[in-house]
Amino acid sequence: MASQPLISVFLLLLVGSVVNSSAAFHPIIRLPTEGTPATDSRSQSDDDGIFCASWHLASETNNAGGWNQIPSRCLSYVRYYMTGKRYESDCEVVANFSTAFASTVEMAPDGKDAWVFDVDETLLTNLPYYMDHGFGSEIFNESCWDEWVASAKAPAIPSSLKLYNMLKQMGFKIFVLTGRSEHQRQDTSKNLELAGYTGWEGLILRGASDGGIPATIYKSERRSVLLNGGYRIHGSSGDQWSDLLGFAVAKRSFKLPNPMYYIG
Ligand SMILES: *[C@@H]1O[C@H](CO)[C@@H](O)[C@H](O)[C@H]1NC(C)=O
Ligand SMILES: *[C@@H]1O[C@H](CO)[C@@H](O)[C@H](O)[C@H]1NC(C)=O
């Protein structure tokens, strides 16, 4: 009697593993239930999983170009990616490669060795906001977003905070270059500080005259100003290609993942 619950658990595990392996290899292993709605929906979600992983890769590599909303079939993929362990791990790998590169830089005594960081989805994560707004499946709503920015509640991406502090300790001058507007300066620096970021050399936001300029141009122009000021931009970290491309680019650019939105 006492062993019966154990056997049931074992059977459940066994059934679970059969179902799992059939899901992974379903073109080869055909369950007798194939053709029923349950199986159809499972292979549909397998297809979505593969499609969405491919879409995500194409998006991260900029092959997808610009987009306004994630594909609707990818909502559960993006939710799972962002809230599970994978996002954290992907960010950590990027941070580790950044650290490895930074440690090869020969620092000059003039204090002009610099690193540029973007803010959103680079230093800070807006996951709490996007959890309430469909993980990029909803069209961007500026007034909702502005409210969130004003709350200054975005947490740090832990691996970015670690990288930031390590670079600071190594003697890099850190410039925070964001697409947020000048009128959000107070909220942004408050949020960065609350999240643990301190001691940057400059916090650069979009001014009134940057209004309609594409992000790539705006950021390149601001990096040019740094170069003209004698800074050597060794590294640049951002979740958007528009953080990294253009002119006056860093010697090495580090692209953090972001399957939730695209800024051209
Ligand atoms: C990143 O580097 C740290 C420190 O060396 C290490 O503990 C961690 O496992 C690395 N993370 C990944 C995902 O490689
Ligand atoms: C944006 O969100 C606000 C609420 O914060 C709402 O009143 C407004 O209708 C939304 N705008 C659009 C275009 O959905």
Side-chain angles (χ1 to χ4, degrees), residues 206 208-214:
R206 266 185 190 261
S209 63
D210 299 314
I213 302 176

Side-chain angles (χ1 to χ4, degrees), residues 4-129:
Q4 206 149 9
L6 272 179
I7 289 169
S8 306
V9 167
F10 175 73
L11 280 175
L12 269 176
L13 288 173
L14 191 65
V15 168
S17 73
V18 167
V19 168
N20 279 340
S21 57
S22 77
F25 302 108
H26 78 89
I28 300 163
I29 299 170
R30 295 183 186 278
L31 288 181
T33 52
E34 181 157 33
T36 67
T39 308
D40 282 353
S41 76
R42 181 156 58 238
S43 55
Q44 182 59 46
S45 68
D46 283 354
D47 290 349
D48 285 351
I50 289 172
F51 168 78
C52 295
S54 299
W55 168 79
H56 185 196
L57 180 63
S59 178
E60 296 296 356
T61 51
N62 214 13
N63 289 328
W67 46 273
N68 293 326
Q69 280 164 285
I70 64 171
S72 56
R73 66 192 281 200
C74 296
L75 172 57
S76 54
Y77 169 91
V78 173
R79 181 195 294 119
Y80 183 76
Y81 174 85
M82 290 302 300
T83 58
K85 290 229 156 77
R86 181 65 193 272
Y87 175 59
E88 200 182 315
S89 168
D90 284 357
C91 288
E92 197 176 298
V93 167
V94 178
N96 283 9
F97 280 118
S98 309
T99 308
F101 166 69
S103 63
T104 69
V105 172
E106 279 188 40
M107 305 291 289
D110 62 0
K112 293 287 191 180
D113 293 298
W115 198 285
V116 176
F117 281 101
D118 168 55
V119 172
D120 295 301
E121 270 55 60
T122 300
L123 293 178
L124 301 177
T125 169
N126 297 296
L127 192 52
Y129 174 85

Side-chain angles (χ1 to χ4, degrees), residues 141-234:
N141 181 320
E142 191 158 359
S143 62
C144 285
W145 170 253
D146 286 350
E147 259 175 55
W148 163 251
V149 167
S151 77
K153 279 185 183 155
I157 294 177
S159 51
S160 295
L161 181 57
K162 215 171 131 193
L163 170 65
Y164 179 101
N165 284 330
M166 205 171 290
L167 293 171
K168 220 168 63 172
Q169 204 181 342
M170 291 164 95
F172 284 92
K173 293 287 159 57
I174 292 172
F175 290 92
V176 181
L177 174 53
T178 173
R180 290 184 180 194
S181 303
E182 191 59 52
H183 71 84
Q184 294 168 317
R185 176 177 291 276
Q186 286 310 108
D187 296 330
T188 301
S189 67
K190 178 182 165 194
N191 196 155
L192 286 169
E193 281 163 12
L194 286 173
Y197 296 99
T198 57
W200 54 78
E201 193 69 11
L203 170 59
I204 306 163
L205 301 98
R206 266 185 190 261
S209 63
D210 299 314
I213 302 176
T216 309
I217 308 291
Y218 154 69
K219 295 209 166 183
S220 296
E221 283 175 351
R222 297 310 178 94
R223 284 193 306 270
S224 284
V225 172
L226 298 180
L227 292 185
N228 293 337
Y231 287 101
R232 294 173 295 277
I233 306 175
H234 295 284

